[in-house]
Amino acid sequence: MNAMPPGFDWNQMRAFLATIEAGSLSAAARALGLTQPTLSRQIAALEDDLGLLLFERVGRRLALTETGRRLAGYVQAMGAAADRIAITASSQSQALEGRVRITAVDILAAHVLPAILEKLYAVAPGIEVEIIASNSIDDLMRREADIAIRHVRPEHDDLIARRCRDTEVGLYAAKSFLDRFGRPAQPGDLAQAPFIGFAPDDSVDQELNKRGIPVTRTNFRWLCISSLVGLELIRRGLGFGLQISSQTLNASCPIWSPCRHRYG
């Protein structure tokens, strides 16, 4: 069985995989600790060995050809298998230990990470985890954290991004507030309602407008940069506010009461 082409070179495949994931030669070279000319030569050598054109330039970026896209799935599977081999070998030869700094927005750090870290501790008790509750997207660039969980995709070429599961956001209010204000039956009922925002310059009002809720900045009587603080303001019955759904948080918040219609 001749499974590999003559002269198969995993380094070339690794260069191809890194370029797919990073989106550019410069970012892929940095990820692999190579110079860009070296990485370019490896990609060119792979194309020569296979007799295929894998990339074409579109402006300043590289785009996979149709052939490259077909090959990409197989190479990604090879990369995943190589990672599993490395992890298995590492677990057999040495303990998984050391400090890992994880940064996440405060509400995820408080309600989502603990359950995940509990499972991690059962598998690798030697790992020391430092949790940094922060809304900043620059933690990784300043080397303040090893892993950042954010709601936006980073634009820095130096960072490797993976998409986590989607989170659901809903518009919530406390039962006590709804008893006073009334329960809205349609978006227009919220035109005069007090809202809780995240920061003076956020775009929550614009997002709500897109969904048919006619609010302006004057509706936002309370502003904060912390989701946990915002949650407490909602619980205190000070107004409507956007929060990650209780299903996503996997935490019961019995005084939350969604509006009759789920907006957002």
Side-chain angles (χ1 to χ4, degrees), residues 72-227:
Y74 298 111
V75 177
Q76 288 168 336
M78 291 172 60
D83 289 341
R84 288 194 294 271
I85 291 171
I87 291 173
T88 301
S90 177
S91 64
Q92 295 298 320
S93 63
Q94 61 183 5
L96 293 175
E97 57 186 19
R99 173 176 292 192
V100 177
R101 293 171 295 178
I102 303 175
T103 176
V105 293
D106 52 7
I107 200 161
L108 292 180
H111 291 283
V112 176
L113 279 183
I116 297 173
L117 297 181
E118 184 180 14
K119 295 178 181 179
L120 176 64
Y121 179 76
V123 176
I127 294 180
E128 177 184 342
V129 178
E130 177 182 349
I131 300 175
I132 305 169
S134 169
N135 294 329
S136 171
I137 62 174
D138 295 324
D139 307 85
L140 296 180
M141 297 304 298
R142 295 196 300 265
R143 299 185 182 276
E144 295 176 350
D146 302 302
I147 300 171
I149 303 173
R150 292 291 179 261
H151 288 104
V152 295
R153 183 178 180 86
E155 297 178 353
H156 305 288
D157 288 340
D158 292 338
L159 302 180
I160 298 175
R162 295 289 186 273
R163 182 170 179 171
C164 300
R165 68 180 186 181
D166 291 340
T167 55
E168 179 183 342
V169 175
L171 187 59
Y172 291 91
K175 291 180 180 178
S176 60
F177 173 81
L178 292 176
D179 290 341
R180 298 192 310 271
F181 180 84
R183 298 180 181 272
Q186 55 188 359
D189 294 342
L190 298 172
Q192 303 302 319
F195 276 77
I196 298 161
F198 297 113
D201 59 348
D202 66 18
S203 58
V204 174
D205 56 330
Q206 299 173 28
E207 291 298 324
L208 292 175
N209 291 163
K210 293 177 182 177
R211 289 158 176 78
I213 301 176
V215 296
T216 67
R217 293 307 302 174
T218 59
N219 289 87
F220 290 81
R221 315 284 175 79
W222 320 96
L223 299 173
C224 59
I225 61 173
S226 166
S227 296

Side-chain angles (χ1 to χ4, degrees), residues 216-256:
T216 67
R217 293 307 302 174
T218 59
N219 289 87
F220 290 81
R221 315 284 175 79
W222 320 96
L223 299 173
C224 59
I225 61 173
S226 166
S227 296
L228 284 176
V229 173
L231 173 58
E232 185 62 23
L233 294 176
I234 295 172
R235 295 178 61 188
R236 294 285 178 174
L238 296 180
F240 291 96
L242 292 173
Q243 285 289 335
I244 297 174
S245 70
S246 56
Q247 292 84 2
T248 302
L249 291 179
N250 193 26
S252 60
C253 299
I255 68 166
W256 272 0

Side-chain angles (χ1 to χ4, degrees), residues 14 18-19 21-22 24-34 39 157-160:
R14 191 167 64 113
T19 304
E21 294 178 341
S24 70
L25 290 172
S26 57
R30 287 191 293 269
L32 294 177
L34 302 174
L39 184 72
D157 288 340
D158 292 338
L159 302 180
I160 298 175

